[in-house]
Structure formats: C-alpha cells, structure tokens
Coordinates of all heavy atoms in Angstrom, one line a residue:
M1 N 156.5 160.6 122.6 CA 155.2 160.2 123.1 C 154.4 159.5 122.0 O 153.2 159.5 122.1 CB 154.5 161.4 123.7 CG 154.0 161.2 125.1 SD 152.8 162.4 125.7 CE 151.4 162.0 124.6
S2 N 155.1 159.0 121.0 CA 154.3 158.3 119.9 C 154.1 156.8 120.3 O 154.8 156.0 119.7 CB 155.0 158.5 118.6 OG 156.3 157.9 118.7
M3 N 153.3 156.6 121.2 CA 153.1 155.2 121.6 C 152.1 154.5 120.7 O 151.2 155.1 120.2 CB 152.7 155.2 123.1 CG 151.4 156.0 123.3 SD 150.4 155.3 124.6 CE 148.8 155.5 124.0
I4 N 152.4 153.2 120.6 CA 151.4 152.3 119.9 C 150.7 151.5 120.9 O 151.3 150.9 121.8 CB 152.2 151.5 118.8 CG1 152.7 152.4 117.7 CG2 151.3 150.4 118.3 CD1 153.6 151.7 116.7
K5 N 149.4 151.4 120.7 CA 148.6 150.8 121.7 C 147.5 150.0 121.0 O 146.9 150.4 120.0 CB 148.0 151.8 122.6 CG 147.3 151.3 123.8 CD 146.8 152.5 124.6 CE 145.5 152.2 125.3 NZ 145.5 151.1 126.3
Y6 N 147.1 148.9 121.6 CA 146.0 148.1 121.1 C 144.7 148.5 121.9 O 144.8 148.6 123.1 CB 146.2 146.6 121.3 CG 145.0 145.8 120.8 CD1 144.8 145.7 119.5 CD2 144.2 145.2 121.7 CE1 143.7 144.9 119.0 CE2 143.1 144.4 121.3 CZ 142.9 144.3 119.9 OH 141.8 143.6 119.5
G7 N 143.7 148.8 121.1 CA 142.4 149.1 121.8 C 141.4 149.6 120.8 O 141.6 149.4 119.6
R8 N 140.3 150.1 121.3 CA 139.2 150.5 120.5 C 139.2 152.0 120.2 O 139.5 152.8 121.1 CB 137.9 150.1 121.3 CG 136.7 150.1 120.4 CD 135.5 149.8 121.2 NE 135.3 148.4 121.6 CZ 134.9 147.4 120.8 NH1 134.5 147.7 119.6 NH2 134.8 146.2 121.2
C9 N 139.0 152.3 119.0 CA 139.0 153.7 118.6 C 137.7 154.4 119.1 O 136.6 153.8 119.0 CB 138.9 153.8 117.0 SG 138.6 155.4 116.4
D10 N 137.9 155.5 119.8 CA 136.8 156.2 120.4 C 135.8 156.8 119.3 O 134.7 157.1 119.6 CB 137.3 157.3 121.3 CG 137.8 156.8 122.6 OD1 137.2 155.8 123.1 OD2 138.7 157.5 123.2
I11 N 136.3 157.0 118.1 CA 135.5 157.6 117.1 C 134.7 156.6 116.3 O 133.5 156.8 116.2 CB 136.4 158.4 116.1 CG1 137.5 159.3 116.8 CG2 135.6 159.3 115.2 CD1 137.0 160.4 117.6
C12 N 135.3 155.6 115.8 CA 134.6 154.6 114.9 C 134.3 153.3 115.7 O 133.5 152.5 115.2 CB 135.3 154.4 113.6 SG 136.9 153.4 113.8
G13 N 135.0 153.1 116.8 CA 134.7 151.9 117.5 C 135.5 150.6 117.1 O 135.4 149.6 117.7
K14 N 136.3 150.8 116.1 CA 137.1 149.6 115.6 C 138.3 149.3 116.5 O 138.9 150.2 117.1 CB 137.6 150.0 114.2 CG 137.5 148.8 113.2 CD 137.7 149.3 111.8 CE 139.1 150.0 111.6 NZ 139.3 150.5 110.2
K15 N 138.6 148.0 116.6 CA 139.8 147.7 117.4 C 141.0 147.7 116.5 O 141.0 147.2 115.3 CB 139.6 146.3 118.0 CG 138.7 146.4 119.2 CD 138.8 145.1 120.0 CE 138.1 145.3 121.4 NZ 138.0 144.0 122.1
T16 N 142.1 148.2 117.0 CA 143.3 148.3 116.2 C 144.6 148.3 117.0 O 144.5 148.6 118.2 CB 143.3 149.7 115.4 OG1 144.6 149.9 114.8 CG2 143.0 150.8 116.3
F17 N 145.7 148.0 116.4 CA 147.0 148.0 117.1 C 147.7 149.4 117.0 O 148.7 149.6 117.5 CB 147.9 147.0 116.6 CG 147.7 145.6 117.1 CD1 147.0 144.7 116.4 CD2 148.1 145.3 118.4 CE1 146.7 143.4 117.0 CE2 147.8 144.0 119.0 CZ 147.1 143.1 118.3
H18 N 147.0 150.2 116.2 CA 147.6 151.5 115.9 C 146.8 152.7 116.5 O 146.5 153.6 115.8 CB 147.8 151.8 114.4 CG 148.7 150.7 113.8 ND1 150.1 150.8 113.8 CD2 148.4 149.6 113.2 CE1 150.6 149.8 113.2 NE2 149.6 149.0 112.8
L19 N 146.5 152.5 117.7 CA 145.7 153.5 118.4 C 146.5 154.6 118.8 O 147.6 154.5 119.4 CB 145.1 152.8 119.6 CG 143.7 153.4 120.1 CD1 142.7 153.2 119.0 CD2 143.3 152.6 121.3
K20 N 146.1 155.8 118.4 CA 146.8 157.0 118.8 C 146.0 157.8 119.9 O 144.8 157.6 120.0 CB 147.1 157.9 117.6 CG 148.1 157.3 116.7 CD 148.5 158.2 115.6 CE 147.6 158.1 114.5 NZ 148.0 158.8 113.3
R21 N 146.7 158.6 120.6 CA 146.0 159.3 121.7 C 146.2 160.8 121.6 O 147.2 161.3 121.2 CB 146.6 158.8 123.1 CG 146.0 159.5 124.3 CD 146.4 158.9 125.5 NE 147.9 158.9 125.7 CZ 148.5 158.4 126.8 NH1 147.8 157.9 127.8 NH2 149.8 158.4 126.9
R22 N 145.1 161.4 121.9 CA 145.2 162.9 122.0 C 144.5 163.4 123.2 O 143.5 162.9 123.6 CB 144.4 163.4 120.7 CG 144.2 164.9 120.7 CD 144.6 165.5 119.4 NE 144.3 167.0 119.5 CZ 144.1 167.7 118.5 NH1 144.0 167.3 117.3 NH2 143.9 169.0 118.7
Y23 N 145.1 164.4 123.8 CA 144.6 165.1 125.0 C 143.8 166.3 124.6 O 144.3 167.1 123.8 CB 145.7 165.5 125.9 CG 146.2 164.3 126.7 CD1 147.5 163.8 126.5 CD2 145.5 163.7 127.8 CE1 148.0 162.7 127.2 CE2 146.0 162.7 128.5 CZ 147.2 162.2 128.2 OH 147.7 161.2 129.0
Y24 N 142.7 166.5 125.3 CA 142.0 167.8 125.2 C 142.0 168.4 126.6 O 141.6 167.7 127.5 CB 140.5 167.6 124.7 CG 140.5 167.2 123.2 CD1 140.5 165.8 122.9 CD2 140.6 168.1 122.2 CE1 140.6 165.4 121.5 CE2 140.6 167.8 120.9 CZ 140.6 166.4 120.6 OH 140.6 166.0 119.3
R25 N 142.5 169.6 126.6 CA 142.6 170.2 128.0 C 141.6 171.3 128.2 O 141.3 172.1 127.3 CB 144.1 170.8 128.1 CG 145.1 169.7 128.0 CD 146.5 170.1 128.2 NE 147.4 169.0 128.1 CZ 147.6 168.1 129.0 NH1 147.0 168.1 130.1 NH2 148.5 167.1 128.8
Y26 N 141.2 171.4 129.4 CA 140.3 172.5 129.8 C 140.9 173.2 131.0 O 141.5 172.5 131.8 CB 138.9 171.8 130.2 CG 138.3 171.1 129.1 CD1 138.6 169.8 128.8 CD2 137.4 171.8 128.2 CE1 138.1 169.1 127.7 CE2 136.8 171.1 127.2 CZ 137.2 169.8 126.9 OH 136.6 169.1 125.8
S27 N 140.7 174.5 131.0 CA 141.5 175.2 132.0 C 141.0 175.3 133.4 O 141.7 175.7 134.3 CB 141.7 176.7 131.4 OG 140.5 177.2 131.0
F28 N 139.8 174.8 133.6 CA 139.2 174.9 135.0 C 139.8 173.7 135.8 O 139.9 172.6 135.2 CB 137.7 174.9 135.0 CG 137.1 173.8 134.2 CD1 136.9 172.6 134.8 CD2 136.7 174.0 132.9 CE1 136.3 171.5 134.1 CE2 136.1 173.0 132.2 CZ 135.9 171.7 132.8
P29 N 140.0 173.9 137.0 CA 140.5 172.8 137.9 C 139.4 171.9 138.2 O 138.2 172.3 138.2 CB 141.0 173.5 139.2 CG 140.2 174.8 139.2 CD 139.9 175.2 137.8
C30 N 139.7 170.6 138.4 CA 138.7 169.6 138.6 C 139.1 168.7 139.7 O 140.3 168.6 140.1 CB 138.3 168.8 137.4 SG 139.7 167.9 136.8
G31 N 138.2 167.9 140.2 CA 138.5 166.9 141.3 C 139.0 165.6 140.7 O 139.5 164.7 141.4
C32 N 138.9 165.4 139.3 CA 139.4 164.2 138.7 C 140.8 164.2 138.2 O 141.5 163.3 138.3 CB 138.4 163.7 137.6 SG 137.7 165.0 136.6
C33 N 141.2 165.4 137.7 CA 142.6 165.5 137.1 C 143.5 166.4 137.9 O 144.7 166.2 137.8 CB 142.5 166.0 135.7 SG 141.3 165.3 134.7
G34 N 143.0 167.3 138.7 CA 143.8 168.1 139.5 C 143.7 169.6 139.2 O 143.0 170.0 138.4
R35 N 144.6 170.4 139.9 CA 144.5 171.8 139.8 C 144.9 172.4 138.5 O 144.7 173.5 138.2 CB 145.3 172.5 141.0 CG 144.9 172.1 142.4 CD 143.5 172.4 142.8 NE 143.2 173.8 142.7 CZ 142.0 174.3 143.0 NH1 141.0 173.5 143.3 NH2 141.7 175.6 142.9
D36 N 145.7 171.6 137.8 CA 146.2 172.1 136.5 C 145.1 172.2 135.4 O 145.3 172.7 134.3 CB 147.3 171.3 136.0 CG 148.6 171.5 136.8 OD1 148.7 172.5 137.5 OD2 149.5 170.6 136.8
G37 N 143.9 171.7 135.7 CA 142.9 171.7 134.7 C 142.4 170.3 134.3 O 143.2 169.4 134.4
H38 N 141.2 170.3 133.8 CA 140.6 169.0 133.4 C 141.2 168.6 132.1 O 141.5 169.5 131.2 CB 139.1 169.2 133.3 CG 138.4 167.9 132.9 ND1 138.4 166.8 133.7 CD2 137.8 167.6 131.8 CE1 137.8 165.8 133.1 NE2 137.4 166.2 131.9
H39 N 141.4 167.3 131.8 CA 141.8 166.9 130.5 C 141.1 165.6 130.1 O 140.7 164.8 131.0 CB 143.3 166.8 130.3 CG 143.9 165.7 131.2 ND1 144.6 166.0 132.4 CD2 143.9 164.4 131.0 CE1 145.0 164.8 132.9 NE2 144.6 163.9 132.1
E40 N 140.9 165.4 128.9 CA 140.2 164.3 128.3 C 141.1 163.5 127.4 O 141.8 164.2 126.6 CB 138.9 164.7 127.5 CG 137.8 165.2 128.4 CD 137.0 164.1 129.1 OE1 136.9 163.0 128.5 OE2 136.5 164.4 130.2
E41 N 141.2 162.2 127.5 CA 142.0 161.4 126.6 C 141.0 160.9 125.5 O 140.0 160.3 125.8 CB 142.5 160.2 127.3 CG 143.9 160.3 127.8 CD 144.2 159.0 128.5 OE1 143.3 158.2 128.7 OE2 145.4 158.9 128.9
V42 N 141.4 161.1 124.3 CA 140.7 160.5 123.2 C 141.6 159.5 122.4 O 142.7 159.9 122.0 CB 140.1 161.5 122.3 CG1 139.4 160.9 121.0 CG2 139.0 162.3 123.0
F43 N 141.2 158.3 122.2 CA 141.9 157.3 121.4 C 141.3 157.2 120.0 O 140.1 157.2 119.9 CB 141.9 156.0 122.1 CG 142.7 155.9 123.4 CD1 142.1 156.0 124.6 CD2 144.1 155.9 123.3 CE1 142.8 156.0 125.8 CE2 144.8 155.9 124.5 CZ 144.2 155.9 125.7
Y44 N 142.2 157.2 119.0 CA 141.6 157.2 117.7 C 142.5 156.3 116.8 O 143.7 156.2 117.0 CB 141.5 158.6 117.1 CG 142.7 159.4 117.0 CD1 143.4 159.6 115.8 CD2 143.3 160.0 118.2 CE1 144.5 160.3 115.7 CE2 144.4 160.7 118.1 CZ 145.1 160.9 116.9 OH 146.2 161.6 116.8
C45 N 142.0 155.7 115.7 CA 142.7 154.9 114.8 C 143.3 155.7 113.6 O 143.0 156.9 113.5 CB 141.8 153.7 114.3 SG 140.6 154.2 113.2
E46 N 143.9 155.0 112.7 CA 144.6 155.7 111.6 C 143.6 156.3 110.7 O 143.9 157.3 109.9 CB 145.5 154.7 110.8 CG 146.7 154.4 111.6 CD 147.6 153.3 110.9 OE1 146.9 152.4 110.4 OE2 148.8 153.5 110.8
E47 N 142.4 155.8 110.6 CA 141.4 156.3 109.7 C 140.6 157.5 110.2 O 139.8 158.1 109.5 CB 140.5 155.2 109.2 CG 141.2 154.2 108.3 CD 140.7 152.8 108.6 OE1 139.5 152.6 108.6 OE2 141.5 151.9 108.8
C48 N 140.7 157.7 111.5 CA 139.8 158.7 112.1 C 140.6 160.0 112.5 O 141.8 159.9 112.8 CB 139.1 158.1 113.3 SG 137.9 156.9 112.9
K49 N 139.9 161.1 112.5 CA 140.5 162.3 113.0 C 140.0 162.4 114.4 O 138.8 162.2 114.7 CB 139.9 163.5 112.2 CG 140.8 163.8 111.0 CD 140.4 165.2 110.5 CE 141.0 165.4 109.1 NZ 140.2 166.5 108.4
P50 N 140.9 162.7 115.3 CA 140.4 162.9 116.7 C 139.5 164.1 116.9 O 139.7 165.1 116.2 CB 141.7 163.1 117.5 CG 142.7 163.7 116.5 CD 142.3 163.1 115.2
E51 N 138.5 163.9 117.7 CA 137.7 165.1 118.0 C 137.3 165.0 119.5 O 137.3 164.0 120.1 CB 136.5 165.1 117.2 CG 135.7 163.8 117.0 CD 134.6 164.0 116.1 OE1 134.8 164.0 114.9 OE2 133.4 164.0 116.6
P52 N 137.1 166.2 120.1 CA 136.8 166.2 121.5 C 135.5 165.4 121.8 O 134.6 165.3 121.0 CB 136.5 167.7 121.8 CG 137.0 168.5 120.7 CD 137.1 167.5 119.5
R53 N 135.4 164.8 122.9 CA 134.2 164.1 123.3 C 133.0 165.0 123.4 O 133.2 166.2 123.8 CB 134.4 163.5 124.7 CG 135.5 162.4 124.7 CD 135.5 161.7 126.1 NE 136.7 160.9 126.3 CZ 136.8 159.7 125.7 NH1 135.9 159.2 125.0 NH2 137.9 159.1 125.9
K54 N 131.9 164.5 123.1 CA 130.7 165.3 123.2 C 130.2 165.4 124.6 O 129.5 166.4 124.9 CB 129.6 164.7 122.3 CG 129.9 164.8 120.8 CD 128.7 164.6 119.9 CE 129.0 165.0 118.5 NZ 130.0 164.1 117.9
W55 N 130.4 164.4 125.4 CA 130.0 164.4 126.8 C 131.2 164.2 127.7 O 132.0 163.3 127.4 CB 128.9 163.4 127.0 CG 127.7 163.6 126.2 CD1 127.4 163.1 125.0 CD2 126.6 164.5 126.6 NE1 126.2 163.6 124.6 CE2 125.7 164.4 125.5 CE3 126.3 165.3 127.7 CZ2 124.5 165.1 125.5 CZ3 125.2 166.0 127.7 CH2 124.2 165.9 126.6
L56 N 131.3 165.0 128.7 CA 132.4 164.9 129.6 C 131.9 164.6 131.0 O 130.8 165.1 131.4 CB 133.2 166.2 129.7 CG 133.6 166.9 128.4 CD1 134.4 168.2 128.7 CD2 134.4 166.0 127.5
R57 N 132.6 163.7 131.7 CA 132.3 163.6 133.1 C 133.4 164.2 133.9 O 134.6 163.9 133.8 CB 132.3 162.1 133.4 CG 131.1 161.4 133.2 CD 131.2 159.9 133.6 NE 130.2 159.2 132.8 CZ 128.9 159.0 133.2 NH1 128.5 159.6 134.3 NH2 128.1 158.3 132.5
V58 N 133.0 165.3 134.6 CA 134.0 166.1 135.3 C 133.6 166.1 136.8 O 132.4 166.3 137.1 CB 134.1 167.5 134.8 CG1 135.2 168.3 135.4 CG2 134.3 167.5 133.3
V59 N 134.5 166.0 137.7 CA 134.2 166.2 139.1 C 134.6 167.6 139.4 O 135.8 167.9 139.3 CB 135.0 165.2 140.0 CG1 134.7 165.4 141.4 CG2 134.6 163.8 139.6
L60 N 133.7 168.4 139.8 CA 134.0 169.8 140.2 C 133.8 170.0 141.7 O 132.9 169.5 142.3 CB 133.0 170.8 139.5 CG 133.1 170.9 138.0 CD1 132.0 171.9 137.5 CD2 134.5 171.5 137.6
D61 N 134.7 170.8 142.3 CA 134.4 171.1 143.7 C 133.4 172.3 143.6 O 133.3 173.0 142.6 CB 135.7 171.4 144.5 CG 136.4 172.6 144.0 OD1 135.8 173.7 143.7 OD2 137.7 172.5 143.8
A62 N 132.7 172.5 144.7 CA 131.7 173.5 144.8 C 132.1 174.9 144.4 O 131.4 175.7 143.8 CB 131.0 173.5 146.2
E63 N 133.4 175.2 144.8 CA 133.9 176.6 144.6 C 134.1 176.8 143.1 O 133.8 177.9 142.5 CB 135.2 176.7 145.3 CG 135.4 178.0 146.0 CD 136.4 177.9 147.0 OE1 136.1 177.5 148.2 OE2 137.6 178.2 146.7
T64 N 134.6 175.8 142.4 CA 134.8 175.9 140.9 C 133.5 176.0 140.2 O 133.3 176.8 139.3 CB 135.6 174.7 140.4 OG1 136.8 174.6 141.2 CG2 136.0 174.9 138.9
A65 N 132.5 175.2 140.7 CA 131.2 175.2 140.1 C 130.6 176.6 140.2 O 130.0 177.1 139.3 CB 130.3 174.2 140.7
K66 N 130.8 177.2 141.4 CA 130.2 178.6 141.6 C 130.9 179.6 140.6 O 130.2 180.4 140.1 CB 130.5 179.0 143.0 CG 129.4 179.8 143.7 CD 129.6 179.8 145.2 CE 129.7 181.3 145.6 NZ 130.1 181.3 147.1
E67 N 132.2 179.4 140.5 CA 132.9 180.4 139.6 C 132.5 180.2 138.1 O 132.3 181.1 137.4 CB 134.4 180.1 139.8 CG 135.2 181.4 139.4 CD 136.7 181.2 139.8 OE1 136.9 180.6 140.9 OE2 137.5 181.5 139.0
L68 N 132.3 178.9 137.7 CA 131.9 178.6 136.4 C 130.5 179.2 136.2 O 130.1 179.6 135.1 CB 131.9 177.1 136.1 CG 133.3 176.6 135.9 CD1 133.3 175.1 135.7 CD2 134.1 177.2 134.8
D69 N 129.7 179.1 137.2 CA 128.3 179.6 137.1 C 128.3 181.1 136.9 O 127.5 181.6 136.1 CB 127.6 179.2 138.5 CG 126.1 179.7 138.5 OD1 125.4 179.3 137.6 OD2 125.8 180.4 139.4
L70 N 129.1 181.8 137.6 CA 129.3 183.2 137.4 C 129.7 183.6 136.0 O 129.1 184.4 135.3 CB 130.3 183.8 138.4 CG 129.8 184.0 139.8 CD1 131.0 184.4 140.7 CD2 128.7 184.9 139.9
L71 N 130.7 182.8 135.5 CA 131.1 183.1 134.1 C 130.1 182.8 133.1 O 129.9 183.5 132.1 CB 132.4 182.2 133.8 CG 133.6 182.6 134.6 CD1 134.7 181.5 134.4 CD2 134.1 183.9 134.1
W72 N 129.3 181.7 133.3 CA 128.3 181.3 132.4 C 127.2 182.4 132.4 O 126.7 182.8 131.3 CB 127.6 180.0 132.9 CG 126.5 179.6 132.0 CD1 125.2 179.9 132.1 CD2 126.6 178.7 130.9 NE1 124.5 179.3 131.1 CE2 125.3 178.6 130.4 CE3 127.6 178.0 130.3 CZ2 125.0 177.8 129.3 CZ3 127.4 177.2 129.2 CH2 126.1 177.1 128.7
N73 N 126.8 182.9 133.6 CA 125.8 184.0 133.6 C 126.3 185.2 132.9 O 125.5 185.9 132.2 CB 125.5 184.3 135.1 CG 124.4 183.4 135.6 OD1 123.6 183.0 134.9 ND2 124.6 183.0 136.9
E74 N 127.5 185.6 133.1 CA 128.1 186.7 132.4 C 128.0 186.6 130.9 O 127.6 187.5 130.2 CB 129.6 186.8 132.8 CG 130.0 188.2 133.3 CD 131.4 188.1 134.0 OE1 132.3 187.9 133.2 OE2 131.4 188.2 135.2
K75 N 128.3 185.4 130.4 CA 128.3 185.2 129.0 C 126.9 185.1 128.4 O 126.7 185.6 127.3 CB 129.2 183.9 128.7 CG 129.2 183.7 127.2 CD 130.3 182.6 126.9 CE 130.3 182.5 125.3 NZ 130.9 181.2 124.9
H76 N 126.1 184.4 129.1 CA 124.8 184.0 128.5 C 123.6 184.9 128.9 O 122.6 185.0 128.2 CB 124.4 182.6 128.7 CG 125.4 181.6 128.1 ND1 125.3 181.3 126.8 CD2 126.5 181.0 128.6 CE1 126.3 180.5 126.5 NE2 127.0 180.3 127.5
N77 N 123.7 185.5 130.0 CA 122.6 186.4 130.5 C 123.0 187.9 130.4 O 122.2 188.7 130.6 CB 122.2 186.1 131.9 CG 121.8 184.6 132.0 OD1 121.3 184.0 131.0 ND2 122.0 184.0 133.2
G78 N 124.2 188.1 130.0 CA 124.7 189.5 129.8 C 124.6 190.3 131.0 O 124.4 189.8 132.1
S79 N 124.9 191.6 130.9 CA 124.7 192.5 132.1 C 123.2 192.8 132.3 O 122.4 192.4 131.5 CB 125.5 193.8 131.9 OG 125.3 194.3 130.6
S80 N 122.9 193.5 133.3 CA 121.5 193.7 133.7 C 120.8 194.7 132.8 O 119.7 195.2 133.3 CB 121.4 194.0 135.2 OG 122.3 195.1 135.4
N81 N 121.3 195.1 131.7 CA 120.6 196.1 130.9 C 119.6 195.6 129.9 O 119.5 196.1 128.8 CB 121.6 197.0 130.2 CG 122.5 196.2 129.2 OD1 122.3 195.0 129.1 ND2 123.4 196.9 128.6
R82 N 118.8 194.6 130.3 CA 117.9 194.0 129.4 C 116.5 194.0 129.9 O 116.3 193.8 131.1 CB 118.3 192.5 129.1 CG 118.0 192.1 127.7 CD 119.0 191.0 127.2 NE 118.9 189.8 128.1 CZ 118.3 188.6 127.7 NH1 117.8 188.6 126.5 NH2 118.4 187.6 128.4
Ligands
ZN101 ZN1 138.5 155.0 114.1
ZN102 ZN1 139.3 166.2 135.4

C-alpha cells in the first residue's frame, strides 16, 4: 500500500509527487464510511508528520448520535452525585 501520489500536503499545503496517506479510524459507525466506523484520510509530504484533522465532517444517523450523546454525558457530566 505504499502508493506514490501527486497532490497537496494536508499539513503544510505544498504540492508534491511524494504524497503519503494515512488513515485515522474512529470506532463509531457513520453514514459516510459505513458500519465499520468512520475514517479520515490525511495526505502528507516527506517533510511533514501526519496528524489527525482538527475538524471532521461526519454524517451520523440519529441513533448513533443519541448513543454518542449518552456516552458524552456519562463522561463529562458524571453520575448524578453532584
Ligand atoms: Zn507537508
Ligand atoms: Zn464516515
């Protein structure tokens, strides 16, 4: 899977023939990538280290959103002993 590709580096914005690709995977299912979980492609040049995107566009179905909402509440609002 070591493909060489021409394009723009997502990190520094330079155009290069040595663009490499890295996937970042998220375990929740989405409407854009499928039930196996969301993933993001990041292209980077030889001088850059790949890093996950700061902003993601994800299509969620309502059920997944609800579940993520519950998990978020659990993590950030704690149990009701406050
Ligand atoms: Zn770069
Ligand atoms: Zn997705």
Side-chain angles (χ1 to χ4, degrees):
M1 233 194 66
S2 60
M3 54 149 220
I4 291 175
K5 185 179 148 62
Y6 178 72
R8 197 182 286 278
C9 171
D10 281 332
I11 314 292
C12 70
K14 224 168 54 182
K15 282 192 168 174
T16 170
F17 279 101
H18 299 278
L19 210 58
K20 289 187 274 188
R21 176 169 60 176
R22 169 136 180 206
Y23 282 108
Y24 291 92
R25 297 183 184 283
Y26 299 85
S27 47
F28 54 84
C30 65
C32 36
C33 316
R35 303 299 301 178
D36 289 340
H38 182 67
H39 64 260
E40 291 281 327
E41 258 179 357
V42 171
F43 292 101
Y44 60 103
C45 72
E46 286 175 317
E47 287 143 52
C48 289
K49 272 195 195 156
E51 47 184 73
R53 294 184 193 284
K54 290 197 171 62
W55 296 95
L56 315 179
R57 276 179 204 278
V58 186
V59 179
L60 291 177
D61 65 48
E63 225 160 273
T64 307
K66 213 165 126 187
E67 206 170 318
L68 288 176
D69 181 53
L70 285 174
L71 291 170
W72 179 275
N73 275 326
E74 231 167 71
K75 180 167 184 203
H76 294 280
N77 302 331
S79 48
S80 52
N81 59 0
R82 215 152 57 108

